[in-house]
Amino acid sequence: VVGKTVSARAVLVAEALPDGRSERERRIVVVAYERERVGEAEVHVRAVVFDLDGTLYNNSRFPFWLVTSRVTDAFVFSAERKIRKQMKGVDLDNADRFYESFFSHLSDRTRFTPEEASQWYWEVYMEMFPDILHAHYAPNEGVEEIFLHLQKIGVSTGVYSDYPVVKERIEALGLSTEICENYWSAPDLGAFKPAIRPMLEIASAMGVQASEM
């Protein structure tokens, strides 16, 4: 970093990120550590936003735990996942329009009316989600340390998930919601990832340019 030798600690923290993380994500973590260590390093990253599922914890076998927890709804879980793929990146501008479309699609694929689909989603699925995380999952090693260090050196942090009840799921993993400054769910912003507008809104809310995030 800026001609300096990268510390072993920075490398270890970057390597603690789960498999599949990009070189950019690993470099962000290294730079954050080195910024404090070398003092004068020029760093353009002012905010880091993390995905939740599959990033802060290994979410393998999650569909298995869903189905085994409520076998009678196996078809509904499958339909819901298909709708997510269908709506991926489709920008509906706000939460109301998003959920209207989402529950309409879920109704088309199941026995539910749109109103019943909404009720099932919030009262069954989203209630199960944190319970399953609490029972079967834990954060990836080094997650809390990375968040706390980024905050310490003045890099804003956020978690942005394609599922709601973000804070509840963070707590279900055994993490404090205080480790992170900002939480967003894609449905509340009106579009599943990788829609661009929500990311620009997140950057604005964090007081940074998109290029600094």
Side-chain angles (χ1 to χ4, degrees):
V1 178
V2 195
K4 302 287 185 178
T5 302
V6 174
S7 68
R9 183 60 181 159
V11 174
L12 287 174
V13 172
E15 289 179 348
L17 293 174
D19 293 341
R21 297 301 94 195
S22 69
E23 285 302 314
R24 171 178 167 78
E25 290 171 302
R26 297 180 192 278
R27 183 163 57 86
I28 287 170
V29 173
V30 170
V31 168
Y33 266 81
E34 293 305 288
R35 179 185 184 189
E36 182 180 48
R37 190 175 73 88
V38 304
E40 299 301 325
E42 183 180 357
V43 180
H44 297 289
V45 175
R46 296 176 54 206
V48 179
V49 177
F50 295 85
D51 184 24
L52 175 50
D53 306 293
T55 299
L56 302 188
Y57 72 99
N58 182 347
N59 66 338
S60 62
R61 292 175 61 82
F62 191 83
F64 168 81
W65 293 118
L66 272 179
V67 173
T68 55
S69 297
R70 196 176 175 93
V71 176
T72 55
D73 283 345
F75 178 77
V76 186
F77 291 129
S78 175
E80 194 270 350
R81 292 177 72 85
K82 290 176 182 177
I83 292 165
R84 287 181 171 275
K85 293 180 180 179
Q86 178 182 343
M87 294 181 65
K88 181 178 179 180
V90 177
D91 193 342
L92 294 170
D93 191 56
N94 59 59
D96 288 343
R97 289 184 59 194
F98 176 90
Y99 280 119
E100 180 181 1
S101 177
F102 184 78
F103 294 135
S104 176
H105 286 308
L106 189 56
S107 174
D108 291 341
R109 289 178 175 267
T110 64
R111 64 186 183 278
F112 296 138
T113 64
E115 293 74 19
E116 291 169 337
S118 174
Q119 184 177 13
W120 174 88
Y121 185 79
W122 293 112
E123 296 182 9
V124 176
Y125 191 15
M126 288 302 109
E127 289 291 326
M128 293 175 63
F129 212 137
D131 291 343
I132 291 173
L133 293 183
H134 180 73
H136 301 288
Y137 294 91
N140 287 319
E141 184 178 355
V143 163
E144 186 171 6
E145 185 178 15
I146 290 172
F147 273 101
L148 293 177
H149 194 87
L150 289 171
Q151 289 183 13
K152 180 180 178 181
I153 63 174
V155 176
S156 298
T157 56
V159 173
Y160 176 40
S161 175
D162 267 338
Y163 292 88
V165 296
V166 182
K167 287 187 175 181
E168 291 87 339
R169 290 187 286 132
I170 287 287
E171 292 177 330
L173 289 168
L175 294 168
S176 168
T177 55
E178 293 183 1
I179 67 167
C180 182
E181 302 161 90
N182 306 280
Y183 294 90
W184 293 276
S185 76
D188 285 344
L189 295 177
F192 283 135
K193 303 169 192 170
I196 295 174
R197 177 192 52 79
M199 290 300 301
L200 296 176
E201 290 187 6
I202 287 173
S204 177
M206 297 180 80
V208 301
Q209 299 295 317
S211 59
E212 298 173 316
M213 185 175 72

